[in-house]
Amino acid sequence: MWHYQAPLRDMRFVIEEWLAAPADWQGMPAFESLDGELAAQVIEEAARFASGVLAPLNAPGDRQGCRFENGRVTTPDGFPAAYRAFVEGGWAALACAPEDGGQGLPQLLNAALLEMIYSTNHAWAMYPGIAHGAYECLRTHGTPELRERYLEAIVSGEILPTMCLTEPQAGSDVGLLRSRAEPAADGGYRLTGSKLFASGGEHDLTGNILHLVLARLPDAPPGSRGISLFLVPKLLPDGRHNAVRCDGIEHKLGIRGSATCTLSFEQAEGWLLGEPHKGLAAMFVMMSSARLHVGLQGLGHAEAAWQNAAQYAAERRQMRAVRRPQGRPEAPADPIHYHPAMRRVLLELRTLTEGMRALGYWTAHLLDRAEQGADPALRAQAQGRAMLLTPLVKAFFTEQGFRLASAALQVFGGYGYVQEYAIEQTLRDSRIAMIYEGSNEIQANDLLLRKVLGDGGAVLRDLLEEFRAEAEVAAICPDCAAFAATLAHYCDRLTTAAEGLAAATTQDPERPYRAAGDFLRLLGLVALAFAWLRSARLAAGRGGDPFYAGKLESAAFFFAYLLPEADHRLALIEASRQPLPFLPE
C-alpha cells in the first residue's frame, strides 16, 4: 500500500510567493517568457508522469530488482518503458540550453521535477539522475568534437551517462585510485582499471552509455593532483563495443531497481575531458549538480514518508484520545493522529519537509540567478550562496530524509515493518543518500573548512545578512515578531561559533573536523528558521485560508519544538574543544 499526491499547492507557494521566482525570471533574458502559470503547467505535467508512470513501478521494481547475466543487466519490468515516456515527455531536456536541443527552463523547475520522481521511484530515478551534471561537465570541458558527438544525445535522452569514481581501495579518497590512461596514436587514450558502485553502469534503458571515468596518466603526480577525467562510451562512434565490461551488480539494502555495477576497463578507448591532471576540477561541475540532486532525494523521501504516515494515522483507530478536535464526538477508539505523540511526529514530518522544500528550491533558484542574472555582482553573490548551501542541502536533507522515514515507520507500528506498507521501502531506499556523492561527513568538512573558514567567513556573513534582513522585515508583523527575534538571536550565536572555530584552528587544526557535523546541522536549523519565518510572514493575515493557517501552525511548531535543537548543536560545537581519544589498534 502506497500513497503519493504531488504537493503542487506547496510547490507553487515556494516558487511564486516564497521565492517570487516569476518576477526574477523577467530580469533574466533566458527566462523572460516564463511566468507563474506556465511554470505551474510544467510541474502539473511532471506530477502526472511521476504519479501515473513511476509510482506504480516502485514496489514491484524493489521486489524484482535487477538481473545480471553474462555481462548484461536487465532492469525491472516497466523501467525501460518508463524511460521512453520520460524522454518522449521532454523531461530529459528540461533545464538544458536550447542550442543543445534543450527546453531552456530553469533549474528551479528541474528541482521540482526531481523531487517528484525521487518521491515516487528513487531506484528508477538513478538512471537519469546524473544526466544533467554530465551534460554540464561535457558542455564546459569537452572538446568541440566531443560536444558535437554526444551533447545533444545526452539532452535528448538517447544516451545515459554514468560516473566512475570509486575503486575497492579508493572510496572517498580518490587520490588512491589506480586506474590508468595511456595516450594513443589516434589522439585518444586507452583506459585500464576497475570501478565499483557505478550507478547505471550497465542497463537496458539506452543502447549506449557514456562513462565519465577518473584515471591517471603515465606522468601523473601522486594523490588527487594527478587525477584526469575521461569520457569512455560503451559503444564507439563506429558502432563497435568498447573494451568495457560489467562484472556484476551489487545486492543492496535499498534502491534495488537501480543497477549498481562493477566495471572493468581493458584498454578501453576514451577521450580526455578538461586538462590533464585536473580531472577533479572538471568532475566538480558534475558533482556540484549531483549533490543538490541527492539532497532533493532526501526531500523526496521525507515527502513520501509524510504523506503515507498522515494518511495511515487518519485511518488507524487505537485507544481513546485525551483530547479531540472541537466538534468530534467520543468513540470507542480514535484515529491515532489525535494522540499527542503521533501529532508531534506528524507535525515534525510536515514542518521539516516543507521547510526543506523552500531551502532546496532556493538553492536551485540561486543557480539560475548565478547563470542567467543580468547583474554581474548579483550573479557572483548568488553563486557564492549556492556553493555554500549545496553541501548543506546534500547532507542535512539526506539525514532528515532517513530520520523522518524512520519516524514515519513508527506511526505504522508493526505494519510499518512489513512490505505491504511501503514505508519500509522508503526507509531502506533513503539510507544510501547519506553515503554517496561524498558522504555527509565529507560534506560537513567541505562546508566548514572550505566554504566557511576557507574565505574567512565572507559568504556565510552574506547569507546571515539575508537572514537578518528577513528578521527585520518580519519584526513588524504581530504574528512573526517573536520568531524574527529568535532567528536574529541564533544568527548571532552561529556567527560567534564560526568565529570561535576559526580562531581555534591555528592552535588545534583538528578541531574544525571534530565540530563540522554539528556546525552543518546548526546551520541547517538556522536556515530552516529563516525559511519558516518568511513562510509565516507571507501567511500572516491570511489565516482564513486553511493552507496559510497551516503555514502559521507549522512555523509556530518549528520555533517551539524543533529549533531548540540548535542549543544542543552549539553545546556540541563548544564540546569539540575536547580532543577525541584514539581507539586501541
Side-chain angles (χ1 to χ4, degrees), residues 454-508:
D455 71 351
V459 176
L460 177 64
R461 285 193 295 273
D462 173 71
L463 185 73
L464 294 181
E465 283 306 306
E466 174 85 1
F467 294 179
R468 290 187 176 98
E470 178 63 44
E472 288 180 9
V473 173
I476 63 173
C477 170
D479 290 330
C480 307
F483 303 155
T486 302
L487 173 59
H489 167 74
Y490 280 107
C491 286
D492 292 343
R493 295 188 69 188
L494 193 152
T495 298
T496 301
E499 291 173 347
L501 289 169
T505 299
T506 55
Q507 300 298 319
D508 183 359

Side-chain angles (χ1 to χ4, degrees), residues 4 101 115 117 139 212 233 239 245 255 268 304 396 400 504 528 567:
Y4 178 79
E115 180 201 331
I117 66 174
R139 194 167 187 253
L212 274 69
R245 184 182 71 249
I255 55 169
F396 190 76
Q400 297 304 319
L528 282 173
D567 294 316

